[in-house]
Amino acid sequence: MNCVAECAWIQAALYDTGNGYPAVILSEKGTVYGELYDVNPSELQKLDRLEGYEGAGGVNLYERKILLVQTEEAVYNAYVYTADHNLELCENRIPTGDWIHQSPG
């Protein structure tokens, strides 16, 4: 994996699932921050397994979508795993939009 940008963002809302990992739902009323990576097909398959994505029409924990991802240098079309179809994961919103630097409380 090659890191394209350490600071990237999308229009979305970020939630703490209570299971030790976050979930994203698409929303024009928020910004979610993360990193952007260039991955090869083998790495993408590993990410799909990690994110519970079995493919279109599968019973997926997250859906993999192509979204516009903004960085300080450019805008990219990139895969993002979302939980729009799995809203029971999304009860505790993280207002900062940043899983690593979330506000205490």
Side-chain angles (χ1 to χ4, degrees):
M1 272 191 252
N2 177 41
C3 185
V4 174
E6 291 183 6
C7 183
W9 58 93
I10 60 171
Q11 283 194 294
L14 185 66
Y15 292 84
D16 185 341
T17 64
N19 297 313
Y21 53 86
V24 167
I25 61 170
L26 300 179
S27 171
E28 293 181 14
K29 296 181 181 179
T31 304
V32 173
Y33 300 92
E35 297 173 339
L36 180 64
Y37 288 87
D38 183 20
V39 298
N40 65 40
S42 173
E43 293 166 333
L44 183 59
Q45 286 181 336
K46 290 176 184 176
L47 287 170
D48 284 346
R49 282 193 297 278
L50 176 69
E51 301 295 348
Y53 178 73
E54 297 178 7
V59 179
N60 299 314
L61 179 63
Y62 295 110
E63 293 294 332
R64 186 178 73 191
K65 299 178 179 177
I66 297 175
L67 301 176
L68 292 177
V69 177
Q70 177 76 45
T71 70
E72 293 177 358
E73 288 80 32
V75 177
Y76 297 86
N77 284 309
Y79 289 124
V80 176
Y81 294 91
T82 70
D84 294 280
H85 71 294
N86 206 352
L87 295 179
E88 62 270 9
L89 290 175
C90 304
E91 293 184 15
N92 299 309
R93 186 164 183 177
I94 300 170
T96 63
D98 189 326
W99 175 248
I100 302 299
H101 300 104
Q102 52 186 301
S103 299

